[in-house]
Amino acid sequence: MGPRVRGDDDVVAMTRFSHLPIVTFALAAIALASAVAPALAAENSAIASRQRAEKKSFTDAEIIDGFFKTAFGAEFHLAGRVDRIRKYNGPVRVFAQGASRPDRNAQLAKVVADIARLVRHLDIALAGTADDANVVVTLVRDRDLFRTIQRFYGDERAREIRRSLDPQCLSGFRKNEGSEIEHSDVILPVDKGDFVFLDCAYEELLQSLGPINDTNALPWTMFNDKVSMGFFDVYDQYLLNILYDPRVKAGMTIEEVKAVLPEVLADVRAWVRKVNGLAE
């Protein structure tokens, strides 16, 4: 199945749904700079070396600050509120389409499995068909990236995206009035090398799950256009595990999250320590 054409009468214009969906975009301008999960590290020695240098110890304040900076707001959005928690409320199924690259499909499968292993309350896996998926990943050649963005979002918005952020990869999601994400689209380049592909795959897949707001204020997160990871780092594991804790619900305000965060963070710390073999 090819990319859906989007225009004034489709998802962006929000006229085909009985409720008001929102489309929000995260666009990553990838600079070749940083570090892949253990299962993928061997595929890129530069990634492996950066992973060994990863910062893994954070204060509660550092984690909380990052969560609020990324889980609320939006780097680029078309309409609707961005002051509520946005997340999937149910299983997430990922399907890849587009450019035929078996090696990239295999890497993407490992990325999805890694996210599933590291985020405790998130049910994420590959789907057999696009119809069974709520996250559709479109693989493209780099030269076709802008043309693909045009097909998805129309000429005017594509030009605005390129002018504002000039992305190397892109993700966006549609959510309902309750801020539950209903569908995400991810566009990844297949021919820019392993580092860029893995960096894009992790960042855009994770942002398609809710933490869509990039920020340059946090040096430890992949959700920073000045930072490239290529793997699912410990700091971002904290953020995603907080987001997908059942006590943090779609539609919550900052104040509502603050009320449950102390007990959530205690449990998340224990989980992240366990899956990463970190010391107390």
Side-chain angles (χ1 to χ4, degrees), residues 97-159:
Q97 63 182 10
S100 179
R101 281 284 300 265
D103 58 332
R104 296 303 187 216
N105 284 2
Q107 287 175 317
L108 183 64
K110 290 179 182 179
V111 169
V112 171
D114 196 42
I115 294 170
R117 179 178 67 88
L118 294 172
V119 183
R120 185 178 187 182
H121 296 290
L122 174 63
D123 177 3
I124 184 171
L126 295 179
T129 69
D131 289 339
D132 297 327
N134 43 17
V135 177
V136 175
V137 178
T138 300
L139 304 176
V140 301
R141 293 172 297 181
D142 185 61
R143 70 186 187 190
D144 296 326
L145 177 66
F146 182 67
R147 190 178 304 122
T148 304
I149 294 172
Q150 286 178 304
R151 290 203 305 270
F152 271 59
Y153 304 114
D155 290 345
E156 182 178 348
R157 289 193 175 99
R159 286 193 296 270

Side-chain angles (χ1 to χ4, degrees), residues 2-279:
R4 291 175 295 173
V5 177
R6 299 185 173 188
D8 288 341
D9 60 349
D10 208 333
V11 176
V12 171
M14 308 168 197
T15 59
R16 289 178 53 189
F17 299 87
S18 58
H19 47 260
L20 180 66
I22 309 299
V23 176
T24 309
F25 303 100
L27 304 119
I30 302 299
L32 300 183
S34 284
V36 95
L40 298 174
E43 298 180 37
N44 190 303
S45 59
I47 290 174
S49 65
R50 289 175 173 90
Q51 191 175 42
R52 288 193 293 270
E54 174 193 7
K55 176 178 167 63
K56 297 180 179 179
S57 178
F58 302 95
T59 66
D60 286 356
E62 288 170 337
I63 295 170
I64 291 168
D65 181 50
F67 180 75
F68 286 126
K69 280 185 167 67
T70 58
F72 294 90
E75 185 181 11
F76 185 96
H77 76 287
L78 298 180
R81 308 183 68 152
V82 294
D83 59 348
R84 297 288 188 273
I85 287 291
R86 298 147 299 187
K87 62 188 287 188
Y88 278 96
N89 184 22
V92 177
R93 294 295 177 261
V94 181
F95 181 79
Q97 63 182 10
S100 179
R101 281 284 300 265
D103 58 332
R104 296 303 187 216
N105 284 2
Q107 287 175 317
L108 183 64
K110 290 179 182 179
V111 169
V112 171
D114 196 42
I115 294 170
R117 179 178 67 88
L118 294 172
V119 183
R120 185 178 187 182
H121 296 290
L122 174 63
D123 177 3
I124 184 171
L126 295 179
T129 69
D131 289 339
D132 297 327
N134 43 17
V135 177
V136 175
V137 178
T138 300
L139 304 176
V140 301
R141 293 172 297 181
D142 185 61
R143 70 186 187 190
D144 296 326
L145 177 66
F146 182 67
R147 190 178 304 122
T148 304
I149 294 172
Q150 286 178 304
R151 290 203 305 270
F152 271 59
Y153 304 114
D155 290 345
E156 182 178 348
R157 289 193 175 99
R159 286 193 296 270
E160 184 179 354
I161 288 168
R162 184 163 67 174
R163 182 173 59 252
S164 299
L165 296 159
D166 193 22
Q168 282 199 12
C169 43
L170 178 149
S171 63
F173 56 68
R174 182 181 73 240
K175 63 187 178 65
N176 63 26
E177 287 182 325
S179 293
E180 297 171 336
I181 302 175
E182 297 184 326
H183 180 89
S184 301
D185 284 300
V186 175
I187 304 174
L188 302 178
V190 299
D191 54 356
K192 297 289 284 185
D194 283 347
F195 184 91
V196 171
F197 181 80
L198 291 166
D199 195 42
C200 278
Y202 272 106
E203 178 173 357
E204 303 305 337
L205 272 175
L206 291 171
Q207 290 200 297
S208 78
L209 299 174
I212 205 81
N213 192 35
D214 272 1
T215 173
N216 292 335
L218 301 170
W220 315 293
T221 178
M222 70 181 75
F223 310 137
N224 179 338
D225 284 342
K226 296 181 179 179
V227 175
S228 297
M229 293 289 191
F231 71 102
F232 193 1
D233 57 292
V234 166
Y235 186 76
D236 290 319
Q237 288 177 43
Y238 281 122
L239 305 190
L240 268 294
N241 275 284
I242 292 172
L243 180 62
Y244 275 87
D245 187 281
R247 290 161 288 192
V248 177
K249 303 182 185 303
M252 274 187 166
T253 64
I254 290 176
E255 292 305 315
E256 289 170 331
V257 173
K258 285 181 178 178
V260 301
L261 198 51
E263 60 184 28
V264 169
L265 182 54
D267 290 347
V268 165
R269 275 197 176 279
W271 171 258
V272 173
R273 280 198 304 268
K274 176 183 176 181
V275 294
N276 289 278
L278 301 178

